[in-house]
Structures are given as structure tokens and as C-alpha cells.
Amino acid sequence: MSHHLIEARDVWFAYPQGADVLRGLSFRITHGEAVGLIGCNGAGKSTLLMHLNGFLTPRCGEIRIGDTPLTAQTVAAARRAVGVVFQDPDDQLFMPTVAEDVAFGPLNLGLPLDEVAQRVGAALERVGMTSVRERPPYKLSAGEKRAVAIATVLAMMPDILVMDEPTSSLDSRGRRRLIELLRGFEHTRIIATHDLELVVEICSRVLIMDEGRIVADGPARTILGDRELLHAHGLERPHSLSHAHAHTAE
Amino acid sequence: MAVESEGAVENNGVVRTAMGFGSIMNNSYGIGRMGIWRMDEMGGQATPLHRMDARIKILTVFIFIGFVMSFPRYEISALMPFFLFPLVLMGRAGIPPSYIFKKVLIASPFALAVGIFNPWLDPAPMIRVGGIFVSGGWLSFLSILIRFSLTVSVALTLLACTGIQRLCDGMGRMGVPQVLVVQLQLLYRYLFVVVEEGGRLGRGLALRAGPRSRITLRTYGALVGHLLLRSLDRAQRVYQAMASRGYTGETRMMHPPVLRRVDLLFLVGWVLFFGVARYWNLAGQMGRLLIGGGR
């Protein structure tokens, strides 16, 4: 059974005493896809992300992870399958040392201690943060924090990675390293961001959200090259797609 | 402000400007934040004392507190040898006594409030020191302060030489209900959230308040309300981050402690010492030995 796919079927949601934030939203993301979720502020991106691992439950419609609908009974399994990297790493890191922070998740899964240690080592290695493993997280730079936050999620070995604004507050070098890292992942990836250049580099597919709906869903280059479409939803065409000369990564 | 500038401060230049205004909130933010992180850092060390089974330390501390509380109300000198326990713990765990001392000072108003009226309530003279009669009230007040310093410094040292995770784990294994352990853990976590959010608010205030403007009660009220709402929001996100990593209320340790014979020796040794210090006034004996008087 594959957990790598994630599906929303006609999801509606409203916060208490509020108007609908998600209004009949559907999509299906399959194994190994890297999907950019874009849209202006207040479009409902973060609310949607909160649905993907069961922190919010749709008023009607359903979310499916793999072949299972996300319900109160399956939420634990869903959280295991879907790793969320939060927008602010400070919300995610709270143990006295980096290594303990990365171990927090695997320990909660009840894994044997040697397996936990091995996963911590592997996750830190993957994000290139082995050298800071004994340091307190609050002393790290923004880029290091972000990498460690990703390691904490990788150590859970999720099938699907969900990220909220992964490049916010990173400098150019930190952003570049993160892009290389994200590109190397084989997970199904959903990245909510305003950084459209990031989407160009990583994602094969793009969903545009506006007023709680998916208003466009298609190949990244097609959608991000469509100036009228982007403009209609408060977005701008990324510079690298706006004219013909080469934009290499370096 | 080394920690401040290394931490997640968005814009160091801005912080310095704000500090330049001499904002009280901002300064206390820095100190509070450093203090709170420092406690966390100390608790995370790996000295033999840190790695000792937390249950042994908790038990010894409780027995210690029991002994300290068991003295008669006017006792002063016999309490002195008990300072050895926190001092030895600090020494073994590499905790600077000045750090704990400052924390004790912060909590001292409570003890002062408890004992401050004793000199008036109990004015009968008890002893003579250099020609001046000292009343029972003053003695019991002093005794309260000493007991307060002893117990609070030991409790803080326990936290600093164990760390909240190991402490909670130990409590859990001693049979403290899980609900209470989780409360304690989250309360501790929440402290950090409030301090950090408070710091951000303080910075915002310092930037807009002029150098000499005073915080009115109205602003203060709005500020505190804001602090509550923001901390609640942030606490929610922290909790969600924990839950998405499989947190269900139970935490496991990366290096679960093993009970060794040395640990039991620690317990027995200290309890013996407390017993001896309780029934023989060690400080008094020492004084008699040194100056040969006392009758």
C-alpha cells in the first residue's frame, strides 16, 4: 500500500464564526511529485496545509492519505506519513540540543534506541548538519535552524513532505542550499510559498489558490509563464520565465 | 547580550537602537531569556551527576527539605551545615553558585512577605549578641529566610543538574500521574514561549515609545492582553509541531538512566549526613571546638 499520494475531495472549511476559507477544493498529488502551492496572502494556503495532517478537519469533503481517508482514527498514521515543516523553525525546535530535537519524533514512534540514534545520524547527515548536533538549536543561524527543522521531520521517515514558506528569512546562500536539498528528495513534496523562483527550480506542478479554491492546476512552467493568469490572482510571473536568456542555477 | 545577538533576532541593528532607549522591558527580556535558556543548557549537560537516575536526586531533595523543615522555629546555626548539599551539587554539576543565588533573590520577596511581621508579633528578647537583645521574632524571621534559601536553591539546583526532560521522566517512573508530568513539561515549554513573545512585544514598544515616554496603564493592559493572545497562538503552533512528530503525552529518553550502586550510595550518604546534622548542631560543635567557649 502506498502512502505517497495525497488527495483532497471537495474540501470545505470555515473557522468558527467565520466565512468559508476553503471552498470546495479538490486535487490529487501522486508519488514523488513536487507541487508548488501558490496564491496571495489569505488565499487559504496555510489552512489547507493544516488539513493535510489532521490539525483541522473539513466541514465537508475529505482528505485522503494513500488509500485511507483522514479521520480521528487514522490521524496518527497520517501524521506519520505526512511530515510538516513549519514556517517558523522556532516553533519546531525546543529541545536542549539539536540531536535531542531530531530524536524527539522517532522516540515518540516507540522505535528501539539504536534505531533512533541511527535515524538521527542519517537525518542530520542528509541536511548537512552533523557538525551542530550537540549545539542548542536557538544558537543556530536561520539557515541552520531551517535545515535542522527539516531533519526533525526527515527522521520520522515520512512519505510526504509538506512545507510552509521554506525559504522565508533565509539569505541567498541558505536559500540556495535549501533548494539543492529539496531537489534531492524523493518524497512527494508540497511546498506552499511566495517564492516563485523556488517553485520554478523545484516543482514540476503548480496549484494556484485564490479565495479558498484551486483556480489553476498544471505543469509549473506553463502556469508560471502565463502572465494573465498569474496577474488575475495577484501574482507576478517569475523573472526567470519572463524572457529567453539563460538563467542557470549558479 | 551575546545570546541576544546570536539568537533569532530579525534585525540586530534595530535591537541595539531599541536597547539604546533603555527600555526596561527590553532589558528584562534579555536577562529573562538568557536566564531561561541558560537553565535549559545547564540541565542538558552530561556530567555524572546529570546522568544519575533522576529518581535518586528527587528523593534526596525531598528528604533534604523534610529535614530542613523539621527544625524548631528559632533554629539558625544548626541549619548552616545543610548548605553543604546544594553547594556540593553545584560543584559536581558545574553550576555557578552565583547563578542560583540570583534566582533565589528573585524569589525572595515571597519569603520576606511570610516572615516580615515576625519581629513585631514576637518581640520577647531571646538572646544577647554583643550587648544587644535580639527578639524571638527576628530569630524566626532569619530562620525562615535561611530555610527558604536552602530549599529554593536546592530545588533550582535539582533542575539545573538534571534538566526538565530527565526530571519529568524520573517523576513519571516514581509514579507521579502522567497528567501532572505532562502539565509540568508543557508549563516549562510555555515559559519560553511567553518570554520570547514578551520580548518581541517589548521590542516593538521600545521602538515606538520615545526615550522618556512612560508606559500608561492603558498601554500596559493592551500589551498584556496581546501577550496572552500571542503566546496562546504560538503555544498552539508549538504543540502542533510536537503532535506532528508523534507526541501523545509521553516522552521517551534517548539515554534512559540506569540505577547504579553509586546512586544508592549518594542517597544513603546524604541522608546520613542530614541525620547527623539534624541531631548534632555541627556548626555549634565546630564553634565550640574552635573558640573553646559556648557555655
Side-chain angles (χ1 to χ4, degrees), chain A residues 53-79:
Chain A
N53 65 355
F55 284 121
L56 295 176
T57 329
R59 180 162 63 78
C60 59
E62 67 173 6
I63 303 280
R64 296 175 77 90
I65 311 288
D67 309 318
T68 350
L70 211 170
T71 61
Q73 285 75 42
T74 58
V75 72
R79 285 183 186 162

Side-chain angles (χ1 to χ4, degrees), chain B residues 120-190:
Chain B
W120 284 276
L121 297 175
D122 183 4
M126 286 276 292
I127 55 165
R128 239 177 79 174
V129 181
I132 301 165
F133 283 102
V134 179
S135 71
W138 281 108
L139 285 183
S140 60
F141 180 38
L142 193 60
S143 184
I144 286 175
L145 289 187
I146 291 172
R147 285 166 216 239
F148 158 80
S149 315
L150 279 169
T151 48
V152 173
S153 63
V154 161
L156 289 169
T157 311
L158 174 67
L159 179 58
C161 77
T162 310
I164 194 79
Q165 295 295 331
R166 285 183 274 221
L167 206 58
C168 287
D169 178 67
M171 284 166 63
R173 286 186 302 134
M174 284 171 93
V176 176
Q178 195 60 35
V179 151
L180 291 181
V181 177
V182 171
Q183 285 277 328
L184 189 63
Q185 262 174 337
L186 294 184
L187 184 70
Y188 182 81
R189 196 46 54 209
Y190 197 65

Side-chain angles (χ1 to χ4, degrees), chain A residues 113, chain B residues 48-57 162 165-171 173 251-260 263:
Chain A
L113 293 177
Chain B
L49 188 60
H50 279 86
R51 277 175 298 171
M52 178 189 277
D53 195 323
R55 288 176 298 178
I56 293 288
K57 286 185 271 186
T162 310
Q165 295 295 331
R166 285 183 274 221
L167 206 58
C168 287
D169 178 67
M171 284 166 63
R173 286 186 302 134
T251 37
R252 284 171 69 222
M253 307 282 296
M254 187 86 161
H255 306 288
V258 262
L259 194 60
R260 293 161 309 167
D263 301 354

Side-chain angles (χ1 to χ4, degrees), chain A residues 46-228:
Chain A
S46 298
T47 308
L48 173 60
L49 296 191
M50 302 272 272
H51 279 76
L52 300 184
N53 65 355
F55 284 121
L56 295 176
T57 329
R59 180 162 63 78
C60 59
E62 67 173 6
I63 303 280
R64 296 175 77 90
I65 311 288
D67 309 318
T68 350
L70 211 170
T71 61
Q73 285 75 42
T74 58
V75 72
R79 285 183 186 162
R80 221 172 142 156
V82 181
V84 184
V85 180
F86 284 65
Q87 182 169 359
D88 184 355
D90 285 329
D91 290 342
Q92 206 156 359
L93 306 174
F94 44 77
M95 299 290 276
T97 68
V98 166
E100 284 175 87
D101 231 317
V102 180
F104 180 82
L107 283 173
N108 285 335
L109 294 182
L111 300 170
L113 293 177
D114 49 347
E115 164 88 12
V116 173
Q118 188 260 323
R119 281 197 184 193
V120 170
L124 285 174
E125 173 99 52
R126 189 80 179 79
V127 298
M129 284 293 125
T130 311
S131 57
V132 300
R133 61 175 292 146
E134 294 308 326
R135 293 185 54 197
Y138 71 94
K139 283 197 175 173
L140 304 178
S141 72
E144 289 170 329
K145 276 186 193 172
R146 181 80 55 176
V148 170
I150 293 174
T152 63
V153 172
L154 288 184
M156 301 282 287
M157 298 205 163
D159 303 308
I160 300 163
L161 270 181
V162 172
M163 303 200 180
D164 195 358
E165 287 295 350
T167 49
S168 66
S169 79
L170 291 190
D171 58 21
S172 322
R173 193 190 309 163
R175 178 173 171 277
R176 177 53 49 204
R177 287 179 59 175
L178 182 81
I179 290 175
E180 296 308 323
L181 183 67
L182 294 185
R183 244 200 238 165
F185 287 156
E186 57 295 330
H187 307 78
T188 305
R189 280 149 290 169
I190 302 174
I191 302 168
T193 185
H194 294 293
D195 183 351
L196 299 189
E197 297 288 355
L198 169 87
V199 177
V200 173
E201 292 203 40
I202 298 176
C203 301
S204 51
R205 180 176 160 196
V206 164
L207 304 179
I208 301 183
M209 272 187 85
D210 198 1
E211 297 186 336
R213 291 198 188 87
I214 302 280
V215 291
D217 177 354
R221 289 193 164 257
T222 319
I223 290 199
L224 294 177
D226 187 338
R227 216 167 129 226
E228 277 69 45

